[in-house]
């Protein structure tokens, strides 16, 4: 028998989706920490920030959904959005001069947007409708 969340989403499917996001953000954080050498410092630092904030944020949202802790989920979303802005700022500030600058800024921008989108699209714990308790 499938357990349903308040929004009607299958709980096992939501856990798998969250687990995949944690793995993806974790791999991004690992790739960032291994690329902190001088030539790839901008990408390495921004990837580390995005990956760590994404993995921690998704794990926190999953725990909050299990415990129905709305404030905890909101705090995790806010942390993910702030981390996306911080990673974008770090990527722009440390981008190398020359032809690679645009590439570094574009990649950092896309990954920061992915982090912000995952924070925005995470399951909302608030009840919907007038009669929801």
């Amino acid at each position: 028998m499938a357990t349903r969340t308040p929004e009607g989403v299958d709980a096992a499917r939501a856990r798998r989706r969250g687990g995949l996001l944690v793995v993806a953000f974790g791999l991004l954080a690992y790739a960032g920490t291994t690329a902190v050498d001088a030539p790839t410092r901008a990408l390495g630092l921004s990837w580390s920030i995005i990956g760590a904030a994404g993995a921690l944020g998704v794990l926190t949202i999953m725990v909050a959904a299990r415990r129905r802790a709305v404030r905890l989920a909101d705090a995790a979303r806010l942390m993910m959005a702030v981390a996306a802005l911080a990673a974008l700022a770090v990527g722009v500030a440390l981008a190398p001069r020359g032809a690679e600058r645009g590439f570094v800024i574009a990649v950092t921008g896309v990954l920061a947007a992915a982090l912000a989108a995952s924070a925005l699209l995470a399951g909302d714990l608030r009840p919907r409708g007038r009669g929801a308790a």
Side-chain angles (χ1 to χ4, degrees):
M1 178 166 192
T3 305
R4 299 272 179 192
T5 61
E7 294 86 19
V9 178
D10 185 15
R13 183 179 297 162
R15 280 193 301 272
R16 277 193 305 269
R17 195 175 326 134
L20 286 175
L21 279 173
V22 169
V23 169
F25 280 123
L27 287 174
L28 186 64
Y30 176 74
T33 56
T34 59
V36 195
D37 295 340
T40 58
R41 186 176 317 147
L43 285 176
L45 287 176
S46 61
W47 287 9
S48 297
I49 293 169
I50 292 169
L56 182 64
V58 170
L59 278 174
T60 305
I61 290 171
M62 288 173 64
V63 168
R66 187 152 179 90
R67 297 176 184 249
R68 306 233 188 261
V70 175
R71 286 186 181 174
L72 182 61
D74 288 344
R77 288 179 182 190
L78 180 64
M79 183 267 314
M80 290 169 74
V82 169
L85 289 175
L88 184 60
V90 166
V92 170
L94 295 179
R97 302 286 181 232
E100 298 89 15
R101 183 170 178 81
F103 174 75
V104 169
I105 292 172
V107 169
T108 302
V110 167
L111 290 174
L115 177 62
S118 65
L120 182 70
L121 298 175
D124 195 6
L125 300 177
R126 289 180 189 81
R128 297 210 164 84
R130 288 188 109 220

